[in-house]
Amino acid sequence: MIASLATYVPPRLLTNADLEKMVETTDDWILQRTGIRERHIVDPGVATSDLGKEAAIKAIANAGLTPADIGLIIVGTVTPDMMFPSTACLIQHKIGARNAWGFDLSAACSAFTYSLTTACQFVASGAHEHVLVVGADVMSSIIDYKDRATCVIFGDGAGAVVVSAAQVGGPQILDFEHEVDGGGGGALCMPAGGSLKPASHETVDQRQHYVKQDGQTVFKFAVRKTEEIARRLMERNGLTAADIDLFVSHQANRRIIQAATEKLGVDPSKVIINIERYGNTTAATIPLALNDAVTSGRLKKGDLVVLASVGAGFTVGAVLLRWGF
Ligand code: UT7
């Protein structure tokens, strides 16, 4: 079960008004087409492990644990501090989780659902009692602030949960469903900086170390798959949209969430949308949305929750759970 949750966003705000001064865009266009008003971005020198550390320390304390109680750290991110060592190693050191091993999980915007499912397997098998899952991204480090089609969308942030063994009959992670469709790789990627195209003067001149996105292709895939995977998961568990207490989608675009949940028949009052304040923080959107649901009283112990995500890859994920605290 999810035993605790904490989030962290850097204090600095990047508003639509700020972006109007940087590229040819308007507050109105951004708000209408994406639902975003502002996003948080880091100051220079602040990395993904710094954001992840803040969320991790709070999540462990909120679970009534100490870092030494954590057996495994899984960090979902597409913006690791560096190619290696992994961000999980960096966070392990920064929080002093001396008994933990760990690794990074690369699934872009599905990183949180993938990491949660992975953590759940280690707890369900009895291998670990407490697993720390961190979803953290410094998207501002890979965004081209000259490209209006991508720079208005993304923000930085982190969320962390502790996944612990459930009491018999108590709240727990009930089921999951995941997919990849590798044929969609070209629609959303960062072309250079890996083994295919190592950094060179040419890759820098061609601005290939930034996110490139075919927005409409991703949009259509996200609407279709968010609905499809959530429906499959609910049907397999004998549930309809009316049985769900809260639907928490990855926050990529308000219109994607609204279109997918409308098709699913989920009442809008059960759908969390907080993209307005954070933008798309990639691996951190779902914990940030869960945190808003908890603090606003919309999510309580025992509630039936569906998480859903679609991201670069393409990666697709959904998790069904009863909220644990
Ligand atoms: O989390 C990972 C997954 N990512 C996503 O799920 C993102 C999915 N895609 C989207 O959210 C949307 O496709 C975008 C927000 C990226 C773009 O919205 P859209 O409604 O699909 O716009 P579009 O790409 O069809 O562009 C419409 C027009 C174009 O102008 P013309 O060709 O019609 O003259 C664009 O050049 O809007 C223009 N445009 C902008 N105008 C003002 C694109 N970006 C901007 C901008 N400000 N920032």
Side-chain angles (χ1 to χ4, degrees), residues 78 107-110 139 142-143 149-150 153-154 181-191 210-215 217-219 221-222 250 252 280 282 310-315:
V78 78
C109 296
S110 291
M139 294 306 291
I142 55 167
I143 292 300
T150 51
I153 303 171
F154 292 96
D181 178 354
L188 180 51
C189 64
M190 188 170 91
Y210 294 123
V211 172
K212 307 287 178 198
Q213 173 170 257
D214 171 358
T217 300
V218 180
F219 188 100
F221 185 85
H250 166 57
N280 180 350
T282 302
V310 173
F314 292 120
T315 54

PDB file of all heavy atoms in Angstrom, residues 78 107-110 139 142-143 149-150 153-154 181-191 210-215 217-219 221-222 250 252 280 282 310-315:
ATOM      1  N   VAL A  78      13.325  11.286 -16.340  1.00  0.00           N
ATOM      2  CA  VAL A  78      13.888  11.358 -17.685  1.00  0.00           C
ATOM      3  C   VAL A  78      14.973  12.451 -17.728  1.00  0.00           C
ATOM      4  O   VAL A  78      15.585  12.699 -18.755  1.00  0.00           O
ATOM      5  CB  VAL A  78      12.738  11.593 -18.697  1.00  0.00           C
ATOM      6  CG1 VAL A  78      12.277  13.032 -18.730  1.00  0.00           C
ATOM      7  CG2 VAL A  78      13.077  11.101 -20.072  1.00  0.00           C
ATOM      8  N   ALA A 107      10.754   5.876 -18.032  1.00  0.00           N
ATOM      9  CA  ALA A 107       9.485   5.658 -18.746  1.00  0.00           C
ATOM     10  C   ALA A 107       8.789   6.990 -19.006  1.00  0.00           C
ATOM     11  O   ALA A 107       7.573   7.047 -19.180  1.00  0.00           O
ATOM     12  CB  ALA A 107       8.579   4.719 -17.969  1.00  0.00           C
ATOM     13  N   ALA A 108       9.586   8.072 -18.990  1.00  0.00           N
ATOM     14  CA  ALA A 108       9.084   9.424 -19.264  1.00  0.00           C
ATOM     15  C   ALA A 108       7.849   9.711 -18.398  1.00  0.00           C
ATOM     16  O   ALA A 108       7.912   9.536 -17.182  1.00  0.00           O
ATOM     17  CB  ALA A 108       8.818   9.589 -20.751  1.00  0.00           C
ATOM     18  N   CYS A 109       6.760  10.114 -19.012  1.00  0.00           N
ATOM     19  CA  CYS A 109       5.596  10.547 -18.219  1.00  0.00           C
ATOM     20  C   CYS A 109       4.872   9.388 -17.546  1.00  0.00           C
ATOM     21  O   CYS A 109       3.993   9.606 -16.714  1.00  0.00           O
ATOM     22  CB  CYS A 109       4.643  11.358 -19.072  1.00  0.00           C
ATOM     23  SG  CYS A 109       5.408  12.883 -19.634  1.00  0.00           S
ATOM     24  N   SER A 110       5.220   8.152 -17.912  1.00  0.00           N
ATOM     25  CA  SER A 110       4.654   6.994 -17.195  1.00  0.00           C
ATOM     26  C   SER A 110       5.598   6.519 -16.084  1.00  0.00           C
ATOM     27  O   SER A 110       5.374   5.458 -15.497  1.00  0.00           O
ATOM     28  CB  SER A 110       4.397   5.835 -18.164  1.00  0.00           C
ATOM     29  OG  SER A 110       3.349   6.162 -19.041  1.00  0.00           O
ATOM     30  N   MET A 139      12.580  19.317 -15.935  1.00  0.00           N
ATOM     31  CA  MET A 139      12.333  19.414 -17.374  1.00  0.00           C
ATOM     32  C   MET A 139      12.974  20.665 -17.972  1.00  0.00           C
ATOM     33  O   MET A 139      13.350  20.682 -19.148  1.00  0.00           O
ATOM     34  CB  MET A 139      10.822  19.393 -17.659  1.00  0.00           C
ATOM     35  CG  MET A 139      10.151  18.079 -17.311  1.00  0.00           C
ATOM     36  SD  MET A 139      10.939  16.657 -18.079  1.00  0.00           S
ATOM     37  CE  MET A 139      10.547  16.914 -19.801  1.00  0.00           C
ATOM     38  N   ILE A 142      16.039  20.367 -20.134  1.00  0.00           N
ATOM     39  CA  ILE A 142      16.041  19.802 -21.501  1.00  0.00           C
ATOM     40  C   ILE A 142      14.986  20.475 -22.390  1.00  0.00           C
ATOM     41  O   ILE A 142      14.586  19.915 -23.413  1.00  0.00           O
ATOM     42  CB  ILE A 142      15.841  18.264 -21.503  1.00  0.00           C
ATOM     43  CG1 ILE A 142      14.563  17.852 -20.761  1.00  0.00           C
ATOM     44  CG2 ILE A 142      17.062  17.569 -20.907  1.00  0.00           C
ATOM     45  CD1 ILE A 142      14.169  16.396 -20.995  1.00  0.00           C
ATOM     46  N   ILE A 143      14.554  21.656 -21.984  1.00  0.00           N
ATOM     47  CA  ILE A 143      13.551  22.375 -22.775  1.00  0.00           C
ATOM     48  C   ILE A 143      14.220  23.519 -23.537  1.00  0.00           C
ATOM     49  O   ILE A 143      15.050  24.241 -22.988  1.00  0.00           O
ATOM     50  CB  ILE A 143      12.432  22.931 -21.861  1.00  0.00           C
ATOM     51  CG1 ILE A 143      11.605  21.771 -21.285  1.00  0.00           C
ATOM     52  CG2 ILE A 143      11.535  23.918 -22.593  1.00  0.00           C
ATOM     53  CD1 ILE A 143      10.918  20.906 -22.318  1.00  0.00           C
ATOM     54  N   ALA A 149       6.289  25.593 -28.987  1.00  0.00           N
ATOM     55  CA  ALA A 149       5.415  24.420 -28.969  1.00  0.00           C
ATOM     56  C   ALA A 149       5.703  23.500 -27.779  1.00  0.00           C
ATOM     57  O   ALA A 149       4.867  22.685 -27.407  1.00  0.00           O
ATOM     58  CB  ALA A 149       5.564  23.635 -30.268  1.00  0.00           C
ATOM     59  N   THR A 150       6.888  23.618 -27.182  1.00  0.00           N
ATOM     60  CA  THR A 150       7.202  22.769 -26.017  1.00  0.00           C
ATOM     61  C   THR A 150       7.467  23.574 -24.738  1.00  0.00           C
ATOM     62  O   THR A 150       7.128  23.117 -23.651  1.00  0.00           O
ATOM     63  CB  THR A 150       8.445  21.880 -26.281  1.00  0.00           C
ATOM     64  OG1 THR A 150       9.504  22.699 -26.755  1.00  0.00           O
ATOM     65  CG2 THR A 150       8.152  20.777 -27.288  1.00  0.00           C
ATOM     66  N   ILE A 153       4.800  24.151 -21.945  1.00  0.00           N
ATOM     67  CA  ILE A 153       4.109  23.002 -21.345  1.00  0.00           C
ATOM     68  C   ILE A 153       4.761  22.526 -20.043  1.00  0.00           C
ATOM     69  O   ILE A 153       4.067  22.163 -19.096  1.00  0.00           O
ATOM     70  CB  ILE A 153       4.094  21.809 -22.340  1.00  0.00           C
ATOM     71  CG1 ILE A 153       3.432  22.212 -23.656  1.00  0.00           C
ATOM     72  CG2 ILE A 153       3.382  20.614 -21.733  1.00  0.00           C
ATOM     73  CD1 ILE A 153       3.575  21.153 -24.735  1.00  0.00           C
ATOM     74  N   PHE A 154       6.090  22.507 -20.022  1.00  0.00           N
ATOM     75  CA  PHE A 154       6.764  21.724 -18.973  1.00  0.00           C
ATOM     76  C   PHE A 154       7.196  22.538 -17.756  1.00  0.00           C
ATOM     77  O   PHE A 154       7.458  23.735 -17.852  1.00  0.00           O
ATOM     78  CB  PHE A 154       7.984  21.014 -19.574  1.00  0.00           C
ATOM     79  CG  PHE A 154       7.611  19.928 -20.552  1.00  0.00           C
ATOM     80  CD1 PHE A 154       7.572  20.180 -21.917  1.00  0.00           C
ATOM     81  CD2 PHE A 154       7.266  18.661 -20.097  1.00  0.00           C
ATOM     82  CE1 PHE A 154       7.218  19.182 -22.826  1.00  0.00           C
ATOM     83  CE2 PHE A 154       6.907  17.658 -20.993  1.00  0.00           C
ATOM     84  CZ  PHE A 154       6.881  17.921 -22.355  1.00  0.00           C
ATOM     85  N   ASP A 181       4.461   1.086 -26.717  1.00  0.00           N
ATOM     86  CA  ASP A 181       4.308   1.068 -28.166  1.00  0.00           C
ATOM     87  C   ASP A 181       5.520   1.804 -28.728  1.00  0.00           C
ATOM     88  O   ASP A 181       5.509   3.019 -28.914  1.00  0.00           O
ATOM     89  CB  ASP A 181       3.008   1.773 -28.569  1.00  0.00           C
ATOM     90  CG  ASP A 181       2.831   1.813 -30.084  1.00  0.00           C
ATOM     91  OD1 ASP A 181       3.771   1.402 -30.808  1.00  0.00           O
ATOM     92  OD2 ASP A 181       1.783   2.268 -30.550  1.00  0.00           O
ATOM     93  N   GLY A 182       6.584   1.019 -28.914  1.00  0.00           N
ATOM     94  CA  GLY A 182       7.865   1.613 -29.310  1.00  0.00           C
ATOM     95  C   GLY A 182       7.847   2.274 -30.670  1.00  0.00           C
ATOM     96  O   GLY A 182       8.746   3.072 -30.983  1.00  0.00           O
ATOM     97  N   GLY A 183       6.808   1.981 -31.440  1.00  0.00           N
ATOM     98  CA  GLY A 183       6.696   2.632 -32.747  1.00  0.00           C
ATOM     99  C   GLY A 183       6.464   4.131 -32.634  1.00  0.00           C
ATOM    100  O   GLY A 183       6.656   4.866 -33.599  1.00  0.00           O
ATOM    101  N   GLY A 184       6.074   4.583 -31.440  1.00  0.00           N
ATOM    102  CA  GLY A 184       5.795   6.010 -31.252  1.00  0.00           C
ATOM    103  C   GLY A 184       7.013   6.813 -30.810  1.00  0.00           C
ATOM    104  O   GLY A 184       6.899   8.010 -30.518  1.00  0.00           O
ATOM    105  N   GLY A 185       8.181   6.174 -30.783  1.00  0.00           N
ATOM    106  CA  GLY A 185       9.368   6.819 -30.237  1.00  0.00           C
ATOM    107  C   GLY A 185       9.717   8.168 -30.822  1.00  0.00           C
ATOM    108  O   GLY A 185      10.123   9.088 -30.100  1.00  0.00           O
ATOM    109  N   GLY A 186       9.530   8.299 -32.138  1.00  0.00           N
ATOM    110  CA  GLY A 186       9.914   9.550 -32.788  1.00  0.00           C
ATOM    111  C   GLY A 186       9.003  10.728 -32.486  1.00  0.00           C
ATOM    112  O   GLY A 186       9.383  11.884 -32.698  1.00  0.00           O
ATOM    113  N   ALA A 187       7.831  10.458 -31.945  1.00  0.00           N
ATOM    114  CA  ALA A 187       6.862  11.544 -31.725  1.00  0.00           C
ATOM    115  C   ALA A 187       7.210  12.404 -30.516  1.00  0.00           C
ATOM    116  O   ALA A 187       6.725  13.532 -30.391  1.00  0.00           O
ATOM    117  CB  ALA A 187       5.460  10.966 -31.564  1.00  0.00           C
ATOM    118  N   LEU A 188       8.043  11.870 -29.620  1.00  0.00           N
ATOM    119  CA  LEU A 188       8.407  12.628 -28.420  1.00  0.00           C
ATOM    120  C   LEU A 188       9.743  12.088 -27.922  1.00  0.00           C
ATOM    121  O   LEU A 188       9.816  10.964 -27.415  1.00  0.00           O
ATOM    122  CB  LEU A 188       7.313  12.461 -27.346  1.00  0.00           C
ATOM    123  CG  LEU A 188       7.500  13.184 -26.019  1.00  0.00           C
ATOM    124  CD1 LEU A 188       7.813  14.659 -26.218  1.00  0.00           C
ATOM    125  CD2 LEU A 188       6.253  13.038 -25.167  1.00  0.00           C
ATOM    126  N   CYS A 189      10.788  12.879 -28.106  1.00  0.00           N
ATOM    127  CA  CYS A 189      12.120  12.370 -27.731  1.00  0.00           C
ATOM    128  C   CYS A 189      13.118  13.517 -27.562  1.00  0.00           C
ATOM    129  O   CYS A 189      12.835  14.665 -27.916  1.00  0.00           O
ATOM    130  CB  CYS A 189      12.633  11.410 -28.805  1.00  0.00           C
ATOM    131  SG  CYS A 189      12.899  12.182 -30.407  1.00  0.00           S
ATOM    132  N   MET A 190      14.276  13.166 -27.008  1.00  0.00           N
ATOM    133  CA  MET A 190      15.411  14.082 -26.993  1.00  0.00           C
ATOM    134  C   MET A 190      16.463  13.408 -27.872  1.00  0.00           C
ATOM    135  O   MET A 190      17.065  12.408 -27.463  1.00  0.00           O
ATOM    136  CB  MET A 190      15.929  14.282 -25.576  1.00  0.00           C
ATOM    137  CG  MET A 190      16.974  15.369 -25.484  1.00  0.00           C
ATOM    138  SD  MET A 190      17.362  15.770 -23.782  1.00  0.00           S
ATOM    139  CE  MET A 190      18.697  14.652 -23.473  1.00  0.00           C
ATOM    140  N   PRO A 191      16.692  13.899 -29.099  1.00  0.00           N
ATOM    141  CA  PRO A 191      17.453  13.118 -30.080  1.00  0.00           C
ATOM    142  C   PRO A 191      18.918  12.856 -29.720  1.00  0.00           C
ATOM    143  O   PRO A 191      19.435  11.784 -30.033  1.00  0.00           O
ATOM    144  CB  PRO A 191      17.366  13.976 -31.354  1.00  0.00           C
ATOM    145  CG  PRO A 191      16.212  14.903 -31.129  1.00  0.00           C
ATOM    146  CD  PRO A 191      16.124  15.128 -29.655  1.00  0.00           C
ATOM    147  N   TYR A 210      17.374  18.943 -26.764  1.00  0.00           N
ATOM    148  CA  TYR A 210      16.108  19.416 -26.195  1.00  0.00           C
ATOM    149  C   TYR A 210      14.969  18.475 -26.580  1.00  0.00           C
ATOM    150  O   TYR A 210      15.065  17.709 -27.548  1.00  0.00           O
ATOM    151  CB  TYR A 210      15.789  20.808 -26.740  1.00  0.00           C
ATOM    152  CG  TYR A 210      16.735  21.899 -26.316  1.00  0.00           C
ATOM    153  CD1 TYR A 210      17.409  22.657 -27.271  1.00  0.00           C
ATOM    154  CD2 TYR A 210      16.929  22.200 -24.963  1.00  0.00           C
ATOM    155  CE1 TYR A 210      18.260  23.688 -26.893  1.00  0.00           C
ATOM    156  CE2 TYR A 210      17.783  23.221 -24.582  1.00  0.00           C
ATOM    157  CZ  TYR A 210      18.452  23.967 -25.546  1.00  0.00           C
ATOM    158  OH  TYR A 210      19.287  24.976 -25.169  1.00  0.00           O
ATOM    159  N   VAL A 211      13.866  18.590 -25.837  1.00  0.00           N
ATOM    160  CA  VAL A 211      12.659  17.808 -26.139  1.00  0.00           C
ATOM    161  C   VAL A 211      12.098  18.217 -27.498  1.00  0.00           C
ATOM    162  O   VAL A 211      11.926  19.406 -27.775  1.00  0.00           O
ATOM    163  CB  VAL A 211      11.585  18.074 -25.053  1.00  0.00           C
ATOM    164  CG1 VAL A 211      10.257  17.432 -25.450  1.00  0.00           C
ATOM    165  CG2 VAL A 211      12.046  17.579 -23.693  1.00  0.00           C
ATOM    166  N   LYS A 212      11.849  17.199 -28.324  1.00  0.00           N
ATOM    167  CA  LYS A 212      11.179  17.425 -29.611  1.00  0.00           C
ATOM    168  C   LYS A 212       9.848  16.679 -29.570  1.00  0.00           C
ATOM    169  O   LYS A 212       9.816  15.500 -29.186  1.00  0.00           O
ATOM    170  CB  LYS A 212      12.005  16.884 -30.787  1.00  0.00           C
ATOM    171  CG  LYS A 212      13.439  17.383 -30.820  1.00  0.00           C
ATOM    172  CD  LYS A 212      13.519  18.825 -31.252  1.00  0.00           C
ATOM    173  CE  LYS A 212      14.960  19.310 -31.230  1.00  0.00           C
ATOM    174  NZ  LYS A 212      15.091  20.757 -31.218  1.00  0.00           N
ATOM    175  N   GLN A 213       8.792  17.339 -29.954  1.00  0.00           N
ATOM    176  CA  GLN A 213       7.479  16.701 -29.842  1.00  0.00           C
ATOM    177  C   GLN A 213       6.594  16.996 -31.040  1.00  0.00           C
ATOM    178  O   GLN A 213       6.477  18.145 -31.455  1.00  0.00           O
ATOM    179  CB  GLN A 213       6.776  17.183 -28.569  1.00  0.00           C
ATOM    180  CG  GLN A 213       5.327  16.702 -28.458  1.00  0.00           C
ATOM    181  CD  GLN A 213       4.701  16.966 -27.113  1.00  0.00           C
ATOM    182  OE1 GLN A 213       4.557  16.076 -26.293  1.00  0.00           O
ATOM    183  NE2 GLN A 213       4.288  18.207 -26.882  1.00  0.00           N
ATOM    184  N   ASP A 214       5.956  15.935 -31.551  1.00  0.00           N
ATOM    185  CA  ASP A 214       4.875  16.105 -32.515  1.00  0.00           C
ATOM    186  C   ASP A 214       3.591  16.134 -31.683  1.00  0.00           C
ATOM    187  O   ASP A 214       3.002  15.095 -31.370  1.00  0.00           O
ATOM    188  CB  ASP A 214       4.898  14.919 -33.500  1.00  0.00           C
ATOM    189  CG  ASP A 214       3.677  14.881 -34.404  1.00  0.00           C
ATOM    190  OD1 ASP A 214       2.796  15.748 -34.252  1.00  0.00           O
ATOM    191  OD2 ASP A 214       3.611  13.982 -35.248  1.00  0.00           O
ATOM    192  N   GLY A 215       3.201  17.346 -31.297  1.00  0.00           N
ATOM    193  CA  GLY A 215       2.150  17.529 -30.288  1.00  0.00           C
ATOM    194  C   GLY A 215       0.839  16.845 -30.619  1.00  0.00           C
ATOM    195  O   GLY A 215       0.242  16.182 -29.764  1.00  0.00           O
ATOM    196  N   THR A 217       0.149  14.267 -32.620  1.00  0.00           N
ATOM    197  CA  THR A 217       0.229  12.795 -32.578  1.00  0.00           C
ATOM    198  C   THR A 217       0.179  12.316 -31.127  1.00  0.00           C
ATOM    199  O   THR A 217      -0.553  11.380 -30.784  1.00  0.00           O
ATOM    200  CB  THR A 217       1.541  12.309 -33.246  1.00  0.00           C
ATOM    201  OG1 THR A 217       1.535  12.760 -34.589  1.00  0.00           O
ATOM    202  CG2 THR A 217       1.676  10.799 -33.202  1.00  0.00           C
ATOM    203  N   VAL A 218       0.962  12.980 -30.276  1.00  0.00           N
ATOM    204  CA  VAL A 218       0.999  12.579 -28.862  1.00  0.00           C
ATOM    205  C   VAL A 218      -0.359  12.819 -28.207  1.00  0.00           C
ATOM    206  O   VAL A 218      -0.857  11.990 -27.437  1.00  0.00           O
ATOM    207  CB  VAL A 218       2.113  13.341 -28.104  1.00  0.00           C
ATOM    208  CG1 VAL A 218       2.158  12.918 -26.640  1.00  0.00           C
ATOM    209  CG2 VAL A 218       3.472  13.104 -28.753  1.00  0.00           C
ATOM    210  N   PHE A 219      -0.960  13.944 -28.539  1.00  0.00           N
ATOM    211  CA  PHE A 219      -2.264  14.302 -27.962  1.00  0.00           C
ATOM    212  C   PHE A 219      -3.296  13.210 -28.254  1.00  0.00           C
ATOM    213  O   PHE A 219      -3.973  12.705 -27.348  1.00  0.00           O
ATOM    214  CB  PHE A 219      -2.721  15.639 -28.557  1.00  0.00           C
ATOM    215  CG  PHE A 219      -3.948  16.218 -27.921  1.00  0.00           C
ATOM    216  CD1 PHE A 219      -3.852  17.229 -26.979  1.00  0.00           C
ATOM    217  CD2 PHE A 219      -5.216  15.768 -28.268  1.00  0.00           C
ATOM    218  CE1 PHE A 219      -4.979  17.768 -26.385  1.00  0.00           C
ATOM    219  CE2 PHE A 219      -6.353  16.297 -27.681  1.00  0.00           C
ATOM    220  CZ  PHE A 219      -6.237  17.302 -26.743  1.00  0.00           C
ATOM    221  N   PHE A 221      -2.880  10.085 -29.249  1.00  0.00           N
ATOM    222  CA  PHE A 221      -2.515   8.806 -28.631  1.00  0.00           C
ATOM    223  C   PHE A 221      -2.852   8.834 -27.136  1.00  0.00           C
ATOM    224  O   PHE A 221      -3.378   7.863 -26.587  1.00  0.00           O
ATOM    225  CB  PHE A 221      -1.021   8.544 -28.847  1.00  0.00           C
ATOM    226  CG  PHE A 221      -0.570   7.198 -28.362  1.00  0.00           C
ATOM    227  CD1 PHE A 221      -0.694   6.072 -29.156  1.00  0.00           C
ATOM    228  CD2 PHE A 221      -0.011   7.050 -27.091  1.00  0.00           C
ATOM    229  CE1 PHE A 221      -0.277   4.819 -28.702  1.00  0.00           C
ATOM    230  CE2 PHE A 221       0.405   5.810 -26.632  1.00  0.00           C
ATOM    231  CZ  PHE A 221       0.276   4.694 -27.438  1.00  0.00           C
ATOM    232  N   ALA A 222      -2.560   9.968 -26.493  1.00  0.00           N
ATOM    233  CA  ALA A 222      -2.774  10.073 -25.037  1.00  0.00           C
ATOM    234  C   ALA A 222      -4.257   9.982 -24.692  1.00  0.00           C
ATOM    235  O   ALA A 222      -4.632   9.297 -23.731  1.00  0.00           O
ATOM    236  CB  ALA A 222      -2.175  11.374 -24.515  1.00  0.00           C
ATOM    237  N   HIS A 250      -1.936  11.460 -15.397  1.00  0.00           N
ATOM    238  CA  HIS A 250      -0.765  12.289 -15.683  1.00  0.00           C
ATOM    239  C   HIS A 250      -1.264  13.624 -16.233  1.00  0.00           C
ATOM    240  O   HIS A 250      -2.217  13.666 -17.007  1.00  0.00           O
ATOM    241  CB  HIS A 250       0.112  11.566 -16.704  1.00  0.00           C
ATOM    242  CG  HIS A 250       1.148  12.442 -17.322  1.00  0.00           C
ATOM    243  ND1 HIS A 250       2.086  13.127 -16.569  1.00  0.00           N
ATOM    244  CD2 HIS A 250       1.385  12.768 -18.624  1.00  0.00           C
ATOM    245  CE1 HIS A 250       2.858  13.817 -17.383  1.00  0.00           C
ATOM    246  NE2 HIS A 250       2.454  13.627 -18.629  1.00  0.00           N
ATOM    247  N   ALA A 252      -0.672  16.268 -18.596  1.00  0.00           N
ATOM    248  CA  ALA A 252       0.068  16.752 -19.765  1.00  0.00           C
ATOM    249  C   ALA A 252      -0.662  17.899 -20.427  1.00  0.00           C
ATOM    250  O   ALA A 252      -0.031  18.789 -21.004  1.00  0.00           O
ATOM    251  CB  ALA A 252       0.278  15.630 -20.762  1.00  0.00           C
ATOM    252  N   ASN A 280       3.428  20.408 -16.976  1.00  0.00           N
ATOM    253  CA  ASN A 280       3.729  18.975 -17.065  1.00  0.00           C
ATOM    254  C   ASN A 280       5.108  18.732 -16.449  1.00  0.00           C
ATOM    255  O   ASN A 280       6.130  19.074 -17.040  1.00  0.00           O
ATOM    256  CB  ASN A 280       3.703  18.557 -18.544  1.00  0.00           C
ATOM    257  CG  ASN A 280       4.004  17.091 -18.739  1.00  0.00           C
ATOM    258  OD1 ASN A 280       4.416  16.399 -17.809  1.00  0.00           O
ATOM    259  ND2 ASN A 280       3.827  16.621 -19.963  1.00  0.00           N
ATOM    260  N   THR A 282       6.322  15.779 -15.850  1.00  0.00           N
ATOM    261  CA  THR A 282       6.729  14.434 -16.279  1.00  0.00           C
ATOM    262  C   THR A 282       6.522  13.396 -15.152  1.00  0.00           C
ATOM    263  O   THR A 282       5.386  13.058 -14.873  1.00  0.00           O
ATOM    264  CB  THR A 282       8.145  14.471 -16.868  1.00  0.00           C
ATOM    265  OG1 THR A 282       8.090  15.409 -17.961  1.00  0.00           O
ATOM    266  CG2 THR A 282       8.604  13.163 -17.465  1.00  0.00           C
ATOM    267  N   VAL A 310       0.290   8.377 -19.868  1.00  0.00           N
ATOM    268  CA  VAL A 310       0.809   8.102 -21.212  1.00  0.00           C
ATOM    269  C   VAL A 310       2.032   8.987 -21.388  1.00  0.00           C
ATOM    270  O   VAL A 310       1.993  10.173 -21.032  1.00  0.00           O
ATOM    271  CB  VAL A 310      -0.227   8.427 -22.303  1.00  0.00           C
ATOM    272  CG1 VAL A 310       0.395   8.300 -23.683  1.00  0.00           C
ATOM    273  CG2 VAL A 310      -1.434   7.496 -22.195  1.00  0.00           C
ATOM    274  N   GLY A 311       3.119   8.422 -21.901  1.00  0.00           N
ATOM    275  CA  GLY A 311       4.327   9.224 -22.046  1.00  0.00           C
ATOM    276  C   GLY A 311       5.160   8.805 -23.235  1.00  0.00           C
ATOM    277  O   GLY A 311       4.790   7.902 -24.002  1.00  0.00           O
ATOM    278  N   ALA A 312       6.308   9.433 -23.365  1.00  0.00           N
ATOM    279  CA  ALA A 312       7.211   9.160 -24.482  1.00  0.00           C
ATOM    280  C   ALA A 312       7.589   7.693 -24.479  1.00  0.00           C
ATOM    281  O   ALA A 312       7.731   7.056 -23.434  1.00  0.00           O
ATOM    282  CB  ALA A 312       8.463  10.019 -24.353  1.00  0.00           C
ATOM    283  N   GLY A 313       7.729   7.165 -25.687  1.00  0.00           N
ATOM    284  CA  GLY A 313       8.066   5.737 -25.816  1.00  0.00           C
ATOM    285  C   GLY A 313       7.406   5.066 -26.999  1.00  0.00           C
ATOM    286  O   GLY A 313       8.081   4.538 -27.829  1.00  0.00           O
ATOM    287  N   PHE A 314       6.081   5.002 -27.065  1.00  0.00           N
ATOM    288  CA  PHE A 314       5.152   5.462 -26.035  1.00  0.00           C
ATOM    289  C   PHE A 314       5.097   4.476 -24.858  1.00  0.00           C
ATOM    290  O   PHE A 314       5.177   3.261 -25.058  1.00  0.00           O
ATOM    291  CB  PHE A 314       3.739   5.604 -26.600  1.00  0.00           C
ATOM    292  CG  PHE A 314       3.584   6.689 -27.600  1.00  0.00           C
ATOM    293  CD1 PHE A 314       3.172   6.417 -28.894  1.00  0.00           C
ATOM    294  CD2 PHE A 314       3.840   8.016 -27.266  1.00  0.00           C
ATOM    295  CE1 PHE A 314       3.009   7.429 -29.828  1.00  0.00           C
ATOM    296  CE2 PHE A 314       3.666   9.034 -28.190  1.00  0.00           C
ATOM    297  CZ  PHE A 314       3.250   8.728 -29.480  1.00  0.00           C
ATOM    298  N   THR A 315       4.893   5.021 -23.664  1.00  0.00           N
ATOM    299  CA  THR A 315       4.663   4.217 -22.474  1.00  0.00           C
ATOM    300  C   THR A 315       3.252   4.511 -21.976  1.00  0.00           C
ATOM    301  O   THR A 315       2.787   5.654 -22.046  1.00  0.00           O
ATOM    302  CB  THR A 315       5.665   4.580 -21.371  1.00  0.00           C
ATOM    303  OG1 THR A 315       5.595   6.005 -21.135  1.00  0.00           O
ATOM    304  CG2 THR A 315       7.084   4.213 -21.757  1.00  0.00           C
TER     305      THR A 315
END
